[in-house]
Amino acid sequence: MKLITTIIKPFKLEDIREVLSGLGVQGLTITEVKGFGRQRGHAELYRGAEYSVNFLPKIKIDIAVADELVEEVIHAIQQSAFTGKVGDGKIFVIELQQAIRIRTGETNDAAL
C-alpha cells in the first residue's frame, strides 16, 4: 500500500476527483493549504496599493491506495492537474505500513 500526497492548484480539484472516482478510488482527504515552490509568491494590487503574497492557496490531497493502483493514480493526477504553468504542483508517494478501518476492524487493502 502507498500513501499518495499531492499538492495542486485549487481549481483542479474537481477534475482530479472525477478521474480518481473513475479509477475506483473510494476515498481521499482534502486539506486547504498555503505554500510556495518555484513560484515564490507574487505581487497583487489592492485598492491602489501593491502587496506581496508569499504563500499561495493550494489543495493537498491524501489518497491511500493498493500497490497495483499506484502508477494509474499518479498518471491520472499528472494528466488532470497539468496546466503547463509554474505551480501545477507535486506528487509524493510514501510506503504505507498499515491501514485499519475503525468501524469494522478490517486491515490493510481491505481497509482501503
mmCIF file of all heavy atoms in Angstrom, residues 64 79 108:
data_model
loop_
_atom_site.group_PDB
_atom_site.id
_atom_site.type_symbol
_atom_site.label_atom_id
_atom_site.label_comp_id
_atom_site.label_asym_id
_atom_site.label_seq_id
_atom_site.Cartn_x
_atom_site.Cartn_y
_atom_site.Cartn_z
ATOM 1 N N ALA A 64 -4.879 6.878 0.022
ATOM 2 C CA ALA A 64 -4.262 5.586 0.323
ATOM 3 C C ALA A 64 -4.727 4.603 -0.741
ATOM 4 O O ALA A 64 -5.927 4.456 -0.972
ATOM 5 C CB ALA A 64 -4.671 5.116 1.716
ATOM 6 N N GLN A 79 -2.071 14.012 -15.357
ATOM 7 C CA GLN A 79 -2.852 14.463 -16.514
ATOM 8 C C GLN A 79 -3.900 15.497 -16.112
ATOM 9 O O GLN A 79 -4.103 16.485 -16.812
ATOM 10 C CB GLN A 79 -3.538 13.265 -17.192
ATOM 11 C CG GLN A 79 -2.602 12.243 -17.770
ATOM 12 C CD GLN A 79 -1.748 12.806 -18.896
ATOM 13 O OE1 GLN A 79 -2.124 13.755 -19.561
ATOM 14 N NE2 GLN A 79 -0.591 12.223 -19.107
ATOM 15 N N ASN A 108 -5.334 -3.261 6.249
ATOM 16 C CA ASN A 108 -4.561 -3.123 5.016
ATOM 17 C C ASN A 108 -5.439 -2.930 3.779
ATOM 18 O O ASN A 108 -6.330 -2.077 3.798
ATOM 19 C CB ASN A 108 -3.576 -4.281 4.908
ATOM 20 C CG ASN A 108 -2.630 -4.254 6.103
ATOM 21 O OD1 ASN A 108 -2.302 -3.196 6.621
ATOM 22 N ND2 ASN A 108 -2.215 -5.411 6.554
#
